[in-house]
Amino acid sequence: MTGALGALGSAVLAMLASIGRVVIFAANTVKHLALHPFYPREFFQALVQIGWLSLPVVGLTAFFTGGALALQIYAGGARFSAEAVVPSIVAIGMVRELGPVLGGLMVAARVASSIAAEIGTMKVTEQIDALVTLSTDPMKYLTLPRVLAATLSLPILVAVGDAIGIFGGFLVGVNRLDFNSAAYLKNTVDFLETADVVSGMVKGAVFGFIVALMGCYHGMNSGRGAQGVGRATKSAVVAASVLILGANYILTEVFFTS
Amino acid sequence: MIELRGLHKSFGQNNVLAGVDLSIERGKSMVIIGGSGTGKSVLLKSILGLITPDQGQILVDGQDVTQADRDAFLARFGMLFQGGALFDSLPVWQNIAFRLMRGSLKRPKDEARDIAIEKLRRVGLKSDVADRFPAELSGGMQKRVSLARAIAAEPEIIFFDEPTTGLDPIMSGVINDLIREIVVDMGATAMTITHDMTSVRTIADDIAMLHAGRIQWTGPVGDMDQSGDRYIDQFINGRAEGPIEAIR
Ligand SMILES: Nc1ncnc2c1ncn2[C@@H]1O[C@H](COP(=O)(O)OP(=O)(O)OP(=O)(O)O)[C@@H](O)[C@H]1O
Ligand SMILES: [Mg+2]
């Protein structure tokens, strides 16, 4: 009994300690934003890697999700003859919830893993040590550009994903569910408020921060050897995904009550 | 001058350094020898602050390194890592000129590239290597590029962790001469780790042998053969029999 309690206690302590380390790491990253120097080349490279090259996967995810959402809402709405809500619910569902969450998760899979693997490999092959001896702060040179690029590009990815998702719903609505295309569009535009779009984009920014931060944190703390990098990559994706879903609930609560 | 006093470092149960005392004169070339896994690389990394020692003091020109301004301190050093540690996202010339393209030593791109190519030549590589990526080079070529990076900014103090491992005998000779030249012509202070006794005799002014976490013997390279120390005798003559266990 005491053994089990002890194990539970040390597990909780270990968890709290790692939360503490992540918070310190995050604070450190943000602090470097204000400190000289800034590496623009690394930042633009990260922007291309994280923002631009994630467009296809985020776009495809949104497209199919929007289409499926239209079918589901039509089927659900038909039970109380409310098929007409399809356009507005697809729009609101995409913009407020599914766009940012699915976009964030797809980027977590694509970007958190690649950042963790890249930085982890650099750590294991002493490249991080080499950076330090060449008077370059790894937090500034590696972490900050990636975190900043992800935080700034995810809202835009989310907005693009929203539009593509709504378009997917529109195609299904018009072609499969016999909506009138002009009416579908009018319904979408009339119901959607600026606050819906903005709240989704704010979520995107937070998720972007989480994804890049987890990639960098786990990469920098990678264990030795190929196995260490493998573990770091896995931890980065798992942590980023869980944190995205947790943060999503908290943010939704905040936007919902305000 | 670099002075180490009572340096200790353990990793878990593994006591790697157990009281290392050593001093390296300015402008001299010190070679560290010792069995595999005795902590030679850990020693160099501790001086650079990449590993924090558990106990002991490191003084550079009389100043405790933990008190020194990090940037100014590191700007005086160059380091060749045992595994090369080249940035694989950058082409060879940008690796070499890394320090010359950022921070206080920043200079125009063309100039940095010219210096990189000049350093490539000094380590026996042609300029057509400049635009390749590290992953496209052989192990020995990577090592030499890494050496070029370590000396690119002409640091006052240079650490070489096994500079000739993996090189053919002729290239080893070129690199040994280069290290000697850097110390004599540029007046740099060098610390070199090597297992190659030819290197030891070409490069060293002084040698120190690390064994069981301490400096077993240190002195001028000329005294090495008559040291009267059984450990160093066994080591430099490469005998399996002797006070040093073959299985460690
Ligand atoms: N970051 C680390 N974490 C845990 N143990 C380490 C770490 N770095 C080194 N060690 C251990 O310290 C010991 C000394 O390692 P070091 O790399 O200094 O050896 P070395 O003398 O340079 O050997 P070699 O000649 O083979 O390069 C080894 O037992 C190694 O396992
Ligand atoms: Mg070593």
Side-chain angles (χ1 to χ4, degrees):
Chain A
M1 182 65 197
T2 47
L5 279 179
L8 184 67
S10 54
V12 170
L13 281 181
M15 199 180 84
L16 289 178
S18 58
I19 291 175
R21 279 195 297 274
V22 170
V23 171
I24 291 170
F25 189 85
N28 242 325
T29 308
V30 175
K31 184 189 82 187
H32 278 294
L33 198 54
L35 298 175
H36 205 69
F38 179 71
Y39 296 105
R41 217 177 74 105
E42 276 62 39
F43 172 68
F44 287 116
Q45 265 172 7
L47 218 48
V48 170
Q49 279 296 328
I50 297 170
W52 180 246
L53 296 179
S54 294
L55 265 176
V57 69
V58 169
L60 278 175
T61 309
F63 183 75
F64 290 121
T65 308
L69 198 60
L71 290 178
Q72 294 281 23
I73 291 167
Y74 186 86
R79 292 178 197 161
F80 39 94
S81 349
E83 297 92 336
V85 297
V86 169
S88 49
I89 305 229
V90 165
I92 290 173
M94 271 321 289
V95 168
R96 289 181 67 123
E97 187 71 22
L98 292 172
V101 171
L102 290 179
L105 289 176
M106 293 315 283
V107 174
R110 195 184 161 273
V111 172
S113 58
S114 82
I115 292 179
E118 186 184 358
I119 295 185
T121 306
M122 290 184 76
K123 161 103 193 228
V124 170
T125 55
E126 298 179 318
Q127 291 179 52
I128 306 265
D129 283 345
L131 263 186
V132 173
T133 55
L134 292 167
S135 310
T136 304
D137 188 335
M139 287 300 274
K140 271 205 184 65
Y141 185 77
L142 297 173
T143 306
L144 183 63
R146 287 169 172 75
V147 171
L148 196 62
T151 310
L152 295 178
S153 58
L154 259 241
I156 298 168
L157 274 178
V158 165
V160 173
D162 289 347
I164 295 176
I166 291 172
F167 178 66
F170 168 82
L171 282 187
V172 169
V174 170
N175 294 320
R176 287 272 289 111
L177 308 171
D178 296 330
F179 276 85
N180 172 281
S181 65
Y184 190 104
L185 283 181
K186 185 173 177 337
N187 250 322
T188 303
V189 176
D190 283 353
F191 274 91
L192 213 53
E193 289 173 18
T194 316
D196 298 328
V197 179
V198 171
S199 75
M201 287 171 74
V202 170
K203 281 183 176 181
V206 173
F207 299 165
F209 181 80
I210 289 174
V211 164
L213 192 80
M214 283 300 108
C216 293
Y217 173 80
H218 287 283
M220 293 276 188
N221 291 292
S222 163
R224 310 182 88 188
Q227 211 174 28
V229 177
R231 276 207 202 98
T233 308
K234 177 199 69 186
S235 307
V237 176
V238 171
S241 310
V242 172
L243 283 177
I244 283 176
L245 294 172
N248 178 54
Y249 179 76
I250 295 170
L251 287 172
T252 308
E253 211 32 279
V254 170
F255 292 132
F256 182 75
T257 40
S258 60
Chain B
M1 185 163 106
I2 305 173
E3 230 183 314
L4 313 177
R5 292 186 190 155
L7 220 56
H8 282 75
K9 179 71 193 177
S10 317
F11 296 100
Q13 298 294 313
N14 184 4
N15 291 321
V16 179
L17 303 180
V20 172
D21 297 292
L22 187 65
S23 61
I24 299 106
E25 299 292 325
R26 176 187 281 264
K28 283 282 158 79
S29 169
M30 167 68 83
V31 168
I32 313 276
I33 57 174
S36 191
T38 46
K40 303 179 298 296
S41 300
V42 169
L43 187 70
L44 291 194
K45 287 186 190 170
S46 305
I47 300 175
L48 288 170
L50 299 172
I51 289 177
T52 319
D54 301 331
Q55 241 188 77
Q57 239 189 340
I58 300 163
L59 304 172
V60 174
D61 294 334
Q63 196 191 19
D64 193 316
V65 297
T66 52
Q67 250 98 68
D69 171 55
R70 273 300 269 163
D71 280 346
F73 173 78
L74 287 170
R76 303 174 58 190
F77 282 87
M79 164 100 183
L80 162 67
F81 286 85
Q82 188 168 357
L86 292 171
F87 305 127
D88 35 35
S89 59
L90 298 177
V92 162
W93 79 269
Q94 289 188 25
N95 262 283
I96 299 173
F98 194 86
R99 207 179 209 141
L100 307 173
M101 294 169 74
R102 336 177 139 65
S104 54
L105 295 173
K106 187 169 171 152
R107 59 199 71 201
K109 201 170 168 180
D110 292 345
E111 208 181 312
R113 190 184 155 94
D114 289 346
I115 295 174
I117 287 173
E118 153 66 14
K119 300 295 172 193
L120 270 179
R121 196 188 54 74
R122 293 197 69 182
V123 297
L125 286 169
K126 291 206 211 91
S127 59
D128 62 354
V129 176
D131 292 305
R132 292 213 244 157
F133 281 86
E136 300 163 0
L137 306 181
S138 76
M141 289 162 93
Q142 289 180 16
K143 194 98 196 196
R144 286 185 282 152
V145 170
S146 193
L147 185 79
R149 182 174 70 182
I151 61 172
E154 314 205 334
E156 290 169 55
I157 307 167
I158 318 184
F159 293 167
F160 302 102
D161 197 341
E162 305 197 5
T164 56
T165 308
L167 302 187
D168 65 63
I170 297 170
M171 258 319 141
S172 297
V174 170
I175 298 303
N176 288 336
D177 291 346
L178 173 65
I179 293 177
R180 195 61 223 165
E181 205 179 303
I182 288 167
V183 174
V184 174
D185 297 351
M186 288 162 45
T189 309
M191 257 177 111
T192 309
I193 296 174
T194 184
H195 293 298
D196 174 357
M197 294 320 286
T198 320
S199 284
V200 174
R201 292 177 202 278
T202 332
I203 298 172
D205 291 314
D206 298 304
I207 69 163
M209 179 175 175
L210 194 63
H211 178 72
R214 292 164 181 275
I215 300 297
Q216 174 68 30
W217 186 84
T218 179
V221 67
D223 298 353
M224 179 171 77
D225 295 307
Q226 295 86 37
S227 66
D229 186 289
R230 288 165 57 233
Y231 289 84
I232 222 163
D233 266 353
Q234 185 193 350
F235 197 84
I236 62 179
N237 295 308
R239 283 194 289 262
E241 303 296 315
I244 307 174
E245 306 262 345
I247 297 170
R248 274 165 274 145

